Amino acid sequence: MAEIIHELSRTFSEYLLVPNRTTHTCIPANVELATPLVRYSKAEGNSPITLSTPLVSAIMQSVSGDRMAVALAREGGLSFVYGSQPVDQQCDMVGKVKKFKAGFVPSDSSLGPDDKLSDIVCLKKKTGHSTVPITEDGTATGRLVGIVTSRDYRVSRLDPQTPVRDFMTPLEEIVYGREGISLSEANDIIWDHKLNQLPILDEQGRLVSLVFRKDYDAHKDNPGEMLDARKRLMVGAGINTHDYKERVPALLDAGCDVLCIDSSDGFSDWQKDTIEFVRREYGPDLPLGAGNVVDGDGFRFLAQAGASFIKVGIGGGSICITREQKGIGRGQASALMAVAKARDRWEEETGVYIPLCSDGGIVHDYHMVLALAMGADFLMLGRYFARFDESPTRRVLFNGTYVKEYWGEGSNRARNWQRYDDGGGGQMLFEEGVDSYVPYAGKLADNVPTTLAKIKATMCACGALNLDELSQKARLVVVSPTSIVEGGAHDVLHKESDMGN
């Protein structure tokens, strides 16, 4: 007969943290949330990539596009651009993230002096950029003859057919730098001359790049933002186990920093084949996550294959119906603790620490702390990020309330058969996700700091100043159904609903 695992399959809502002593120094301002992203030997140093914030966005059409990647990287997390799209479109999204924040930014909004005001307006609507370099031939690397900013024209005062040369700021009135200047020197010029941008020209006067004041200011406002060696925002991308031989090199050429295999079940030979291909072609250090798994056997399988980090969770997402459809999965809390034990045994045996990503099961912000206490190094969130302006979906009015669309990768809408295929020939015979709405919550930057404040406050109550201390010191208790009721507002009349106000 089948093996029976007698341990209950438990969720985060079945646990509470028991407070430890909070010392005078254990205050939120002193809490550090940095966490490793990829495998490393603790005896030899830190992880090659460290997240400033233990949050990453899910590999989903309704969550992770280029806007989400930019916003989350600036908050110290990482976004994985969804892979259920053509390779060139995914690479284009990755490229937009890499171009958004850089010390020296190549122009992608150039025009020529004979173009019209209407062309400026259309370009601004298309790109969102208010600074337009004007080059002799209208190309991004032509000889610079002027610049147009929003201060150079008023649409209501000028004929749309007015040539750009008639209202642009000409080159002789522009402060610029020469190719070879350092970023620090460029920023000094910007500040000394009270500029918003500094064009960088080569010896022939051709435009090389631009340096923007807003990039300097943005970094000062976001000191923990995730940057690569060239000061560009970092971005991840999802891949599948079918077209990886084409997709992986294209994503790396586009500048992708981290790859992750997107699959509902990572305990498979197809995932092993994908990891082995990447390791054979690109070496042992290319950041490559794998998963998902729910037990020690699954973890060890992917660890031996060479995964840089491993995702935990099957069927726990708010839009996932894998357990309902296939009877496969495990309560997220139980799965995470089981895999964390296997991870710790692996480190004892090999000296290599492999970070865990908890994927699914997060309903409330305090669930995030529970997941981190149970052994997760960082969390992959879908519903949480889908609520924000930066997710790729529409904001719509539903029953008098603004909501955002949110659908699973296993839904008919996503048609992401690659994520769920088990060698059956590339088609979806049934759904493993639903199409839904989530309450609209505004900008990511207005919400993530509040969530992080809650995490830090809870860690202080546990006597922990960093995530290592949290996992070592945390004490958990299983709660009864009655105590769950007791934990919320109860036995009172709610003003809004019960009193009719």
Side-chain angles (χ1 to χ4, degrees):
M1 63 174 286
E3 177 187 357
I4 304 297
I5 299 174
H6 292 284
E7 177 192 345
L8 287 176
S9 175
R10 296 190 181 278
T11 68
F12 293 132
S13 290
E14 295 179 78
Y15 290 90
L16 285 175
L17 288 156
V18 177
N20 292 321
R21 176 186 172 186
T22 302
T23 64
H24 290 118
T25 58
C26 197
I27 58 175
N30 293 338
V31 173
E32 175 59 60
L33 294 179
T35 190
L37 178 68
V38 297
R39 66 161 66 198
Y40 68 106
S41 170
K42 289 184 177 179
E44 297 178 1
N46 298 321
S47 173
I49 303 177
T50 298
L51 293 172
S52 302
T53 298
L55 307 178
V56 302
S57 66
I59 310 170
M60 300 175 67
Q61 296 174 11
S62 56
V63 178
S64 297
D66 52 278
R67 291 184 63 215
M68 179 63 67
V70 167
L72 186 51
R74 296 180 74 182
E75 295 295 327
L78 190 75
S79 191
F80 287 88
V81 174
Y82 68 92
S84 52
Q85 60 178 321
V87 176
D88 59 339
Q89 293 181 19
Q90 188 183 24
C91 289
D92 183 59
M93 285 187 177
V94 169
K96 287 179 179 178
V97 180
K98 302 309 290 187
K99 290 177 182 177
F100 179 85
K101 174 71 171 69
F104 298 94
V105 185
S107 173
D108 60 357
S109 301
S110 298
L111 290 175
D114 295 325
D115 288 311
K116 306 296 190 288
L117 173 61
S118 58
D119 297 314
I120 293 284
V121 174
C122 288
L123 187 62
K124 184 176 181 181
K125 287 181 179 179
K126 179 181 178 181
T127 66
H129 300 162
S130 58
T131 297
V132 181
I134 308 302
T135 60
E136 275 187 339
D137 57 6
T139 67
T141 56
R143 194 170 71 86
L144 188 71
V145 295
I147 278 183
V148 172
T149 71
S150 57
R151 293 179 296 181
D152 291 315
Y153 63 90
R154 290 179 65 181
V155 175
S156 61
R157 296 285 185 91
L158 281 178
D159 185 326
Q161 297 304 306
T162 304
V164 168
R165 65 171 71 253
D166 290 353
F167 58 89
M168 71 181 186
T169 301
L171 180 63
E172 54 267 24
E173 298 178 19
I174 297 173
V175 177
Y176 57 86
R178 286 294 184 187
E179 188 175 19
I181 191 174
S182 71
L183 183 59
S184 177
E185 291 169 334
N187 280 319
D188 285 344
I189 294 174
I190 287 174
W191 283 94
D192 290 344
H193 293 270
K194 299 180 180 180
L195 307 173
N196 288 323
Q197 72 283 318
L198 181 73
I200 306 299
L201 310 181
D202 65 14
E203 292 300 326
Q204 287 72 45
R206 292 189 295 263
L207 181 64
V208 176
S209 58
L210 299 116
V211 179
F212 291 92
R213 174 192 288 264
K214 66 180 179 64
D215 286 348
Y216 178 87
D217 292 340
H219 180 62
K220 291 300 181 182
D221 293 338
N222 299 276
E225 62 186 352
M226 294 297 295
L227 301 178
D228 64 16
R230 295 170 57 187
K231 305 297 184 183
R232 302 177 300 177
L233 292 176
M234 296 185 70
V235 59
I239 63 173
N240 60 63
T241 59
H242 295 268
D243 66 1
Y244 55 89
K245 292 182 181 180
E246 173 191 2
R247 194 173 292 268
V248 169
L251 286 169
L252 295 178
D253 287 344
C256 184
D257 299 286
V258 185
L259 300 173
C260 185
I261 303 173
D262 182 30
S263 173
S264 64
D265 179 8
F267 200 174
S268 75
D269 285 350
W270 291 281
Q271 195 142 147
K272 181 174 180 287
D273 292 343
T274 305
I275 297 171
E276 289 178 345
F277 166 82
V278 172
R279 293 293 170 240
R280 185 169 60 251
E281 296 295 322
Y282 301 100
D285 299 326
L286 179 70
L288 173 64
N292 289 14
V293 299
V294 294
D295 65 4
D297 291 340
F299 170 86
R300 184 168 288 270
F301 177 80
L302 293 178
Q304 291 173 338
S308 302
F309 64 86
I310 293 174
K311 290 204 295 156
V312 181
I314 294 177
S318 60
I319 41 68
C320 183
I321 54 174
T322 294
R323 298 180 196 172
E324 177 183 315
Q325 292 283 58
K326 295 165 62 176
I328 295 292
R330 194 175 193 178
Q332 187 66 11
S334 296
L336 183 55
M337 288 188 284
V339 176
K341 287 181 181 178
R343 186 265 314 279
D344 294 343
R345 285 195 299 270
W346 178 270
E347 185 185 10
E348 291 175 2
E349 295 170 9
T350 66
V352 176
Y353 184 86
I354 302 179
L356 297 183
C357 171
S358 180
D359 179 16
I362 301 292
V363 179
H364 306 292
D365 285 355
Y366 83 88
H367 288 170
M368 299 183 190
V369 189
L370 286 169
L372 295 167
M374 291 174 180
D377 294 277
F378 56 98
L379 316 172
M380 179 169 279
L381 307 171
R383 181 195 60 84
Y384 177 84
F385 288 118
R387 304 173 302 143
F388 301 145
D389 284 325
E390 293 82 1
S391 70
T393 63
R394 297 182 303 160
R395 186 186 72 168
V396 298
L397 192 62
F398 180 72
N399 290 339
T401 302
Y402 279 110
V403 295
K404 292 273 282 185
E405 294 177 305
Y406 181 46
W407 60 90
E409 289 297 293
S411 67
N412 278 328
R413 181 170 184 175
R415 302 301 298 174
N416 185 6
W417 62 266
Q418 297 96 329
R419 188 176 200 272
Y420 298 89
D421 182 55
D422 55 3
Q427 58 181 322
M428 283 185 64
L429 299 178
F430 57 89
E431 289 185 287
E432 293 188 45
V434 301
D435 197 343
S436 62
Y437 296 116
V438 290
Y440 169 67
K443 295 181 180 178
L444 181 147
D446 292 336
N447 287 271
V448 167
T450 300
T451 295
L452 298 181
K454 292 180 184 179
I455 293 174
K456 290 180 178 181
T458 305
M459 288 174 62
C460 288
C462 294
L465 286 174
N466 57 58
L467 297 181
D468 273 343
E469 286 189 5
L470 176 65
S471 62
Q472 293 166 11
K473 293 182 177 181
R475 295 185 296 155
L476 298 166
V477 61
V478 178
V479 297
S480 70
T482 305
S483 66
I484 293 176
V485 174
E486 180 187 62
H490 60 91
D491 299 315
V492 294
L493 297 177
H494 290 259
K495 289 184 177 180
E496 291 79 7
S497 58
D498 298 326
M499 300 299 288
N501 291 341

